Amino acid sequence: MNCSISGEVPAEPVVSKNSGLLFEKRLIERHILDYGKCPITGEPLSIDDIVPIKTGKIIKPRPVQAASIPGMLGMFQIEWDGLMLSNFALEQQLHTARQELSHALYQHDAACRVIARLKKERDEARALLAQAERHIPMSMPSQHAVSAASISNGQRAAEDDEMGSDGKRIRPGISSSIISELTDCNTALSQQRKKRQIPSSLAPIDSVERYSQLTMNPLHKTSKPGILSLDIQYSKDIVATGGADSNIVVFDRPSGQVVSTLSGHSKKVTSVKFVAEGELVVSCSADKTVRLWRGSEDGNYDCKQILKDHTAEVQAVTVHATNNYFVTASLDNTWCFYELASGLCLTQVEDTSGSSDGYTSAAFHPDGLILGTGTSGAIVKIWDVKSQSNVARFDGHVGAVNAISFSENGYFLATAAQDGVKLWDLRKLRNFRTFTPYDENISTQSVEFDHSGSYLALGGSDIRVYQVANVKSEWNCIKTFPDLSGTGKVTSVKFGPDAKYIAVGSMDRHLRIFGLPDEDGPSES
């Protein structure tokens, strides 16, 4: 007999006293607890109205399909088909989930790019706003204007916007506190120089003689090839190059990887310098601007300030030994002394001697109280930074003075021009030696003392390294590197830490490193 509710043979059969119907015990008890009546007749029914029936063990009959081999095969086939359909449905769901995930990742990447672009536009807009505020002539009373120095983008607005009667900006000047800071730095560095010895880690002459090209890295665009300037941050061994493509590339020399590309200038980058352990980069350009770049934790550099105090191409930038100030020199025949923290031009110095030649190069003396500048008219001028007065001038070059380098010994100055390199004794203010490595049609573009003052490198149609001697002794050329760029124009040469390598930039956009090959690998020919 079958249960009146399930239609199956009950495992625990019970019968109703009222209707005589047979039920499965667990089913009828649950129905009574829920409804309190018979599920078949609808009459009232309680637990006391059902009587259990004692029967023998009930064995459920085997299904008809399992009674034969063909039946079992059919059952297996049905189960297999169900399994395949389920697997197909799961694969479809997985494919759909993958597509949705891919779409979500694409949207996330696009959103990140949009956010980065908006941040860049925001920073540029803030920089332009700050620059505009600096250059808008003050229409408010001067006393109120001075007392209400505005703040823009977390930076102090320039206080030199007030215009004089001659139409030129009135600069705040180099204050007595700054002069004291420069003097203290000069005193400390001068005392250290007297005790200074050549480091034992300096590359010896026989090593320099065996230098060869180790690496060659294309860093700038092919549309406007050419590296015009470079600088090395010794503590991190990173190189910054300024290119004709208007970009600055920060390059990690040990790994051979580009750390960051700094874009913002609209014309060629004429000079680039590291400041404060590589966290800051100062660059100048033919677009008449100077830019301050600050490094971030991810290795990129963001443009923090754009300085527009010059009216012609800015040719050179040099950083003071305090790392708190820097100077820019321009073809507008002026040089500007800046405070690094605020980007404020403290003074803009114009030569009052009547010369109209613009400046093509500039460098601070290692002690920081003397500034050397080279002009397009072949004149080298020496300035007293404290008084901003021209204290000496050197004649004798032919063509623009392309580069200036002070020796760490404090009294040698090397200058490069169309007619080669001249060495000047700052103690007696005279030229004591001249190198003419090339013919009259080839200009010497770069000259550089190493940090120890033991070697001098120059670049033109090739690269030559000289051993530094004294005024009376010969300066021997210990190594000549051919110009491997094929352009015949080496634009920049810089010694690495302890002269362990030489970085060279040329007009084929490649940064070349010359040094001794590692023991685990040959040098690149």
Side-chain angles (χ1 to χ4, degrees):
M1 296 182 68
N2 297 332
C3 173
S4 300
I5 296 177
S6 65
E8 297 181 355
V9 177
E12 293 184 72
V14 294
V15 64
S16 172
K17 294 180 181 180
N18 301 333
S19 62
L21 295 174
L22 185 69
F23 300 101
E24 174 69 53
K25 182 179 180 181
R26 59 183 177 80
L27 295 178
I28 190 62
E29 286 181 349
R30 184 179 301 171
H31 189 83
I32 291 172
L33 291 174
D34 292 340
Y35 302 102
K37 60 182 179 180
C38 178
I40 306 301
T41 62
E43 297 177 354
L45 187 65
S46 65
I47 299 297
D48 297 334
D49 293 333
I50 58 175
V51 179
I53 301 175
K54 294 184 179 181
T55 60
K57 184 177 180 181
I58 299 175
I59 301 175
K60 296 182 180 180
R62 180 179 296 176
V64 178
Q65 293 86 350
S68 63
I69 292 178
M72 288 190 293
L73 292 176
M75 291 175 59
F76 294 154
Q77 184 64 49
I78 292 171
E79 292 182 1
W80 174 260
D81 292 343
L83 180 61
M84 290 299 101
L85 290 174
S86 176
N87 186 51
F88 177 74
L90 288 175
E91 287 183 351
Q92 281 190 321
Q93 292 177 2
L94 176 61
H95 180 68
T96 302
R98 282 179 174 173
Q99 285 185 325
E100 292 176 351
L101 178 60
S102 176
H103 184 65
L105 291 175
Y106 175 79
Q107 287 183 323
H108 178 267
D109 183 64
C112 290
R113 291 175 181 271
V114 170
I115 292 171
R117 179 172 56 83
L118 291 176
K119 284 184 176 179
K120 181 179 178 182
E121 292 177 355
R122 179 202 64 187
D123 294 340
E124 290 179 351
R126 285 178 173 176
L128 290 174
L129 178 60
Q131 191 65 31
E133 290 176 351
R134 292 181 58 193
H135 290 279
I136 295 176
M138 290 188 174
S139 58
M140 302 173 64
S142 59
Q143 182 177 0
H144 175 72
V146 172
S147 62
S150 60
I151 302 297
S152 175
N153 193 20
Q155 301 167 356
R156 182 179 61 179
E159 299 171 357
D160 58 350
D161 291 336
E162 191 174 356
M163 308 296 288
S165 59
D166 57 354
K168 296 182 180 179
R169 294 187 184 90
I170 298 177
R171 307 295 187 184
I174 302 178
S175 64
S176 58
S177 61
I178 295 177
I179 292 177
S180 298
E181 180 183 358
L182 301 183
T183 305
D184 292 343
C185 177
N186 173 270
T187 303
L189 292 177
S190 299
Q191 291 177 352
Q192 292 177 9
R193 181 163 289 104
K194 294 177 181 179
K195 304 176 183 178
R196 189 167 168 272
Q197 296 180 349
I198 296 177
S200 59
S201 57
L202 180 70
I205 295 177
D206 59 345
S207 295
V208 178
E209 290 175 342
R210 293 184 289 117
Y211 280 3
S212 61
Q213 180 173 298
L214 300 179
T215 61
M216 179 180 67
N217 299 278
L219 301 184
H220 293 269
K221 296 179 181 178
T222 56
S223 57
K224 292 183 179 180
I227 294 175
L228 303 180
S229 61
L230 64 84
D231 194 25
I232 301 175
Q233 178 57 49
Y234 289 163
S235 62
K236 297 182 179 180
D237 205 358
I238 55 178
V239 183
T241 61
D245 59 356
S246 74
N247 290 334
I248 302 152
V249 176
V250 180
F251 177 76
D252 183 75
R253 190 197 66 83
S255 65
Q257 300 296 320
V258 173
V259 176
S260 181
T261 299
L262 287 55
S263 300
H265 285 294
S266 60
K267 294 184 179 180
K268 62 183 180 181
V269 178
T270 53
S271 183
V272 59
K273 293 292 181 183
F274 280 110
V275 188
E277 299 300 321
E279 299 301 326
L280 289 172
V281 172
V282 184
S283 63
C284 60
S285 168
D287 63 7
K288 307 177 186 178
T289 68
V290 179
R291 288 180 179 248
L292 303 182
W293 311 80
R294 183 175 294 278
S296 55
E297 293 181 356
D298 58 1
N300 292 320
Y301 287 78
D302 300 321
C303 181
K304 295 303 180 183
Q305 285 184 315
I306 305 174
L307 311 177
K308 299 180 179 179
D309 297 286
H310 289 290
T311 57
E313 292 186 10
V314 189
Q315 291 286 301
V317 59
T318 178
V319 180
H320 191 267
T322 58
N323 281 325
N324 295 328
Y325 309 97
F326 67 94
V327 162
T328 58
S330 169
L331 291 179
D332 64 5
N333 199 25
T334 67
W335 56 269
C336 292
F337 186 93
Y338 287 94
E339 182 182 51
L340 187 65
S342 64
L344 177 64
C345 179
L346 300 178
T347 184
Q348 187 168 12
V349 180
E350 184 175 2
D351 191 357
T352 58
S353 64
S355 173
S356 60
D357 299 326
Y359 296 111
T360 52
S361 55
F364 268 115
H365 186 272
D367 292 341
L369 287 185
I370 295 176
L371 175 71
T373 58
T375 70
S376 58
I379 304 298
V380 179
K381 299 179 181 180
I382 305 299
W383 302 82
D384 178 9
V385 177
K386 294 189 294 183
S387 62
Q388 301 96 59
S389 58
N390 184 199
V391 295
R393 53 183 289 153
F394 300 141
D395 303 318
H397 269 302
V398 175
V401 180
N402 299 317
I404 284 181
S405 179
F406 286 95
S407 172
E408 282 295 320
N409 65 16
Y411 48 84
F412 286 162
L413 170 64
T415 57
Q418 179 73 32
D419 57 344
V421 171
K422 289 184 178 295
L423 298 174
W424 310 87
D425 186 347
L426 298 177
R427 297 166 297 184
K428 297 183 178 181
L429 299 180
R430 67 181 184 88
N431 170 227
F432 67 90
R433 185 163 280 99
T434 300
F435 300 132
T436 55
Y438 315 118
D439 61 40
E440 60 183 8
N441 296 322
I442 298 177
S443 175
T444 305
Q445 296 291 326
S446 178
V447 64
E448 182 78 18
F449 283 102
D450 79 300
H451 187 67
S452 70
S454 302
Y455 301 111
L456 175 72
L458 58 89
S461 61
D462 57 22
I463 306 103
R464 304 192 182 197
V465 181
Y466 290 83
Q467 180 186 6
V468 173
N470 54 38
V471 174
K472 297 182 179 180
S473 302
E474 275 302 316
W475 294 42
N476 298 319
C477 180
I478 58 178
K479 184 66 177 180
T480 299
F481 303 102
D483 174 36
L484 300 177
S485 68
T487 62
K489 193 173 183 181
V490 174
T491 58
S492 47
V493 178
K494 188 82 174 179
F495 284 98
D498 293 326
K500 291 299 175 68
Y501 65 85
I502 302 173
V504 176
S506 57
M507 291 306 294
D508 68 340
R509 81 189 181 95
H510 284 81
L511 172 66
R512 289 178 168 83
I513 304 296
F514 293 85
L516 288 179
D518 296 331
E519 295 180 357
D520 56 352
S523 65
E524 180 182 323
S525 62

